[in-house]
Amino acid sequence: MFEPRYVSDLLQKAVDAFARLPGIGPKSALRMALYLLKQEEAEAENLADSILELRKKVVYCSSCRMISDAPLCPVCSHPQREQGVICVVENVRDVMSIENTGSYKGLYHVLGGIISPIDGISPADLAIEPLLERLQKGNVQEVILALSTTMEGETTCFYLYKKMAQFPLKITTIARGVGFGDQLEYTDELTLGRSIENRQPFKPE
Amino acid sequence: MFEPRYVSDLLQKAVDAFARLPGIGPKSALRMALYLLKQEEAEAENLADSILELRKKVVYCSSCRMISDAPLCPVCSHPQREQGVICVVENVRDVMSIENTGSYKGLYHVLGGIISPIDGISPADLAIEPLLERLQKGNVQEVILALSTTMEGETTCFYLYKKMAQFPLKITTIARGVGFGDQLEYTDELTLGRSIENRQPFKPE
């Protein structure tokens, strides 16, 4: 374990603060602190300001619960997004991943987690009620469940499915199957089995 | 390359600022920013304050050029450190490494680099004059050259050796040889050859 003895309390404080960030150990934290010491003061100020602004000004979208700079996020307020489709995801990062594919034009709903009795996360801890309120308004035709393919994800899908049964909706899940570029011999049996069951017509391009 | 489109300019700004740190790519930077969003505001404030304080308040020791919270660093001002021995190192991190061994009780001198014509670093760019000034005062008996065992390190050692020839000093370098726990068959030939030339009397413990 690294311990910069006889050096600088200020350095130690900065190293400790960096080392609290996820994926950052004491050695990386030291490297980051020493780097900042060598840069212009403006560099450190820019980093500090970005951190404070991020934490103080970023809010959650009142509709989809995505992080946003404004009360309504850019997706929800975009005139060209399909207002009738909602893609339900676990967290903010999933929205970013789907946005980065560029193949989705509807809206999102961030649950903030998935049902997991082991981690003490019950349906009440998730943004399920706000989702049902959005559906209540009646202009949604399809809900896409884009959750993890784990047991917790499947449980959450099933729970949401039951809750949404009262609405005249098309409920879909994202396709599961063998990933592009994957070799069959290295694909797990469950995935391979399901991908054969859910086989689709071949479309020559 | 990650690009959080349609999300948050503030998030993007923080991710960009984190990604400028050494060893941090855009994915790690995003992870750090999202982590801070989930924590209490005090956590982000603590990190931002630590960064600003570090950059604004940390100075370089007027004697050894180590980073320090005070004009004279804790090593230079410590009453029990041997004032007659100076260990010359390349950078701040080397001081920390040697301090962490706990086997050195003398003082340091941080050069701030080593002579490297390829990188455009000449003797004038290093804290060599301040070292000679320290030696001028006359109460130093030994200088230990603890530089990298690269060609640049050897060049710097030789340059310093010539510059220090005017003083009545013992000039030493740290021992080179096969590291503890290393297997002979995996040791490079140069190191192994040198370690045989510089063999030492066996001391049974």
Side-chain angles (χ1 to χ4, degrees):
Chain A
M1 196 65 175
F2 164 76
E3 197 198 332
R5 282 186 291 173
Y6 284 125
V7 176
S8 156
D9 291 338
L10 294 171
L11 181 73
Q12 184 64 64
K13 203 184 147 210
V15 169
D16 289 346
F18 276 126
R20 292 173 65 93
L21 295 171
I24 305 298
K27 289 218 169 184
S28 310
L30 175 64
R31 202 167 150 208
M32 288 155 75
L34 291 179
Y35 167 85
L36 284 176
L37 271 177
K38 273 198 264 176
Q39 304 304 306
E40 296 292 321
E41 210 166 294
E43 178 93 17
E45 277 168 5
N46 174 48
L47 178 59
D49 289 350
S50 307
I51 290 167
L52 285 180
E53 271 204 310
L54 173 74
R55 188 60 190 78
K56 284 175 199 276
K57 292 196 190 156
V58 164
V59 293
Y60 289 89
C61 172
S62 58
S63 178
C64 72
R65 311 279 153 152
M66 179 61 184
I67 54 171
S68 168
D69 297 353
L72 205 63
C73 80
V75 173
C76 286
S77 57
H78 198 287
Q80 258 123 56
R81 304 291 296 219
E82 290 172 35
Q83 304 288 317
V85 188
I86 292 179
C87 180
V88 176
V89 295
E90 186 179 333
N91 59 43
V92 163
R93 205 188 286 237
D94 296 335
V95 174
M96 293 177 186
S97 301
I98 297 174
E99 278 302 291
N100 278 337
T101 68
S103 17
Y104 182 62
K105 296 286 164 243
L107 306 181
Y108 293 96
H109 191 85
V110 181
L111 289 180
I114 45 177
I115 300 170
S116 171
I118 291 172
D119 300 321
I121 302 172
S122 76
D125 300 316
L126 308 177
I128 294 176
E129 275 308 313
L131 173 63
L132 299 177
E133 281 163 27
R134 288 177 77 182
L135 300 178
Q136 205 90 51
K137 289 177 191 151
N139 40 16
V140 177
Q141 291 94 47
E142 179 177 357
V143 168
I144 304 170
L145 299 171
L147 302 178
S148 301
T149 57
T150 56
M151 200 158 73
E152 288 83 7
E154 301 288 346
T155 305
T156 310
C157 281
F158 187 65
Y159 184 89
L160 290 172
Y161 181 81
K162 281 198 300 176
K163 282 280 179 187
M164 295 189 296
Q166 52 177 309
F167 303 107
L169 279 175
K170 191 168 138 197
I171 300 175
T172 56
T173 66
I174 50 170
R176 322 316 200 168
V178 180
F180 282 96
D182 281 2
Q183 287 185 287
L184 282 204
E185 57 177 314
Y186 300 120
T187 304
D188 70 285
E189 288 158 20
L190 194 62
T191 302
L192 193 53
R194 291 275 181 89
S195 78
I196 291 172
E197 282 169 35
N198 301 327
R199 63 194 177 277
Q200 302 187 327
F202 181 71
K203 280 178 266 176
E205 281 170 38
Chain B
M1 197 62 173
F2 163 76
E3 199 198 330
R5 281 186 292 174
Y6 283 125
V7 177
S8 155
D9 291 339
L10 294 171
L11 181 74
Q12 184 65 65
K13 204 183 146 209
V15 169
D16 289 346
F18 274 125
R20 292 173 65 93
L21 294 171
I24 305 297
K27 288 217 169 185
S28 310
L30 175 63
R31 204 168 147 206
M32 288 155 72
L34 291 179
Y35 167 84
L36 284 175
L37 272 177
K38 273 199 264 176
Q39 303 305 306
E40 297 291 321
E41 210 166 295
E43 177 93 16
E45 277 168 5
N46 174 48
L47 177 59
D49 289 350
S50 307
I51 290 167
L52 286 179
E53 270 205 311
L54 174 74
R55 189 60 192 78
K56 284 177 198 274
K57 292 194 189 159
V58 165
V59 295
Y60 288 90
C61 172
S62 58
S63 179
C64 74
R65 312 277 153 153
M66 178 61 184
I67 54 170
S68 168
D69 297 353
L72 206 61
C73 80
V75 172
C76 286
S77 57
H78 198 287
Q80 259 122 55
R81 305 291 298 220
E82 291 173 33
Q83 303 290 318
V85 187
I86 291 178
C87 179
V88 177
V89 295
E90 186 180 334
N91 60 43
V92 164
R93 205 188 286 237
D94 297 335
V95 174
M96 292 178 187
S97 300
I98 296 175
E99 278 301 291
N100 279 338
T101 68
S103 21
Y104 181 62
K105 296 288 164 240
L107 306 181
Y108 292 96
H109 191 85
V110 181
L111 290 179
I114 45 178
I115 299 169
S116 171
I118 292 172
D119 300 320
I121 302 173
S122 77
D125 299 316
L126 307 177
I128 293 176
E129 276 308 313
L131 173 64
L132 299 176
E133 282 164 28
R134 287 178 76 183
L135 299 179
Q136 205 91 50
K137 289 177 192 155
N139 41 15
V140 177
Q141 290 95 48
E142 180 177 357
V143 167
I144 305 170
L145 300 171
L147 302 178
S148 300
T149 56
T150 57
M151 198 156 77
E152 289 83 6
E154 302 287 347
T155 306
T156 311
C157 280
F158 188 65
Y159 183 89
L160 289 172
Y161 181 81
K162 282 198 301 177
K163 282 280 178 186
M164 295 190 294
Q166 52 177 310
F167 302 107
L169 278 178
K170 191 169 139 195
I171 300 174
T172 56
T173 65
I174 50 170
R176 322 312 202 174
V178 181
F180 283 94
D182 280 3
Q183 286 186 289
L184 284 202
E185 61 177 313
Y186 300 120
T187 304
D188 69 286
E189 288 159 20
L190 193 63
T191 301
L192 193 54
R194 291 276 181 89
S195 79
I196 290 171
E197 282 170 35
N198 301 327
R199 62 193 176 278
Q200 301 189 325
F202 181 69
K203 280 178 263 175
E205 280 170 39

